[in-house]
Amino acid sequence: LEQSGRAKEAEQEFRAALADYEQLVKSDRDGRYVDDYADLQCDCADAAKDHATVARIVQEAAGIPKKGRSAPQSYNAACRMARCIGLAQNDAALPESKRDELVKQYAEDAMKLLSEAVQKGFADAMHIQQDKDMDPLRPREDFQKLVKELEQKAKPTATPP
């Protein structure tokens, strides 16, 4: 719809779909749809460069009772939170001290989620190294240590003959 010049109609359709999805999430006892819904909301907020909304959604999704977040779900949440770092750094509406505070908090939250993903079995060090979402975390010592540990675990150990 948007591509055919009917952006207003597309927005209305999207909002209606989002409301339907929200109802599905509320009735979802297993938590199957929570992360999909969070992804959808984050994509919209990310496109609008709204780091505060993305961070809030990630935190809310983490607090919704469910049968347990999987390793990929934790990894994706870490990616969403890591993207907030760059958005906050470039948020000219905030004073520098507030930007610095948010950048630090988003990085801490992203690392907690990434560590959670690894604890739950996410072990693809190469993926983490190539994922652009992780770029803001690369200079961190704890990030480098985590990746190095994953690489060490992935190396086959020599067995004596």
Side-chain angles (χ1 to χ4, degrees):
L1 289 174
E2 188 174 0
Q3 293 174 347
S4 64
R6 297 163 47 198
K8 186 73 171 168
E9 186 179 345
E11 182 181 349
Q12 290 171 341
E13 291 288 327
F14 176 76
R15 291 194 186 284
L18 197 57
D20 289 343
Y21 213 129
E22 188 171 344
Q23 291 304 313
L24 178 64
V25 169
K26 286 179 182 176
S27 65
D28 179 19
R29 297 189 191 280
D30 296 342
R32 292 181 301 222
Y33 303 107
V34 170
D35 285 299
D36 291 340
Y37 181 64
D39 281 342
L40 182 61
Q41 288 182 307
C42 284
D43 287 345
C44 295
D46 198 18
K49 301 196 182 317
D50 184 355
H51 56 88
T53 299
V54 174
R56 180 184 52 77
I57 292 165
V58 171
Q59 291 163 349
E60 285 174 2
I64 294 173
K66 51 186 170 175
K67 289 187 176 179
R69 183 190 308 271
S70 69
Q73 288 169 329
S74 295
Y75 181 79
N76 289 336
C79 289
R80 290 190 296 263
M81 192 58 76
R83 287 195 309 259
C84 289
I85 297 167
L87 294 174
Q89 285 172 328
N90 297 319
D91 189 344
L94 293 175
E96 186 176 350
S97 61
K98 183 64 176 175
R99 284 195 307 259
D100 291 345
E101 176 186 327
L102 287 172
V103 164
K104 182 178 178 182
Q105 184 61 55
Y106 293 157
E108 291 294 324
D109 291 347
M111 283 305 303
K112 285 178 189 172
L113 289 161
L114 183 57
S115 295
E116 177 184 302
V118 170
Q119 289 171 355
K120 291 183 176 196
F122 192 91
D124 192 344
M126 184 177 287
H127 180 82
I128 294 171
Q129 289 177 325
Q130 295 174 350
D131 192 334
K132 295 283 186 202
D133 289 337
M134 293 291 149
D135 286 353
L137 300 175
R138 292 189 202 294
R140 292 177 58 100
E141 190 175 309
D142 53 350
F143 177 85
Q144 294 169 15
K145 180 180 177 192
L146 184 138
V147 171
K148 189 172 189 170
E149 288 172 0
L150 285 177
E151 290 172 335
Q152 292 299 320
K153 287 180 185 177
K155 287 184 180 177
T157 55
T159 55

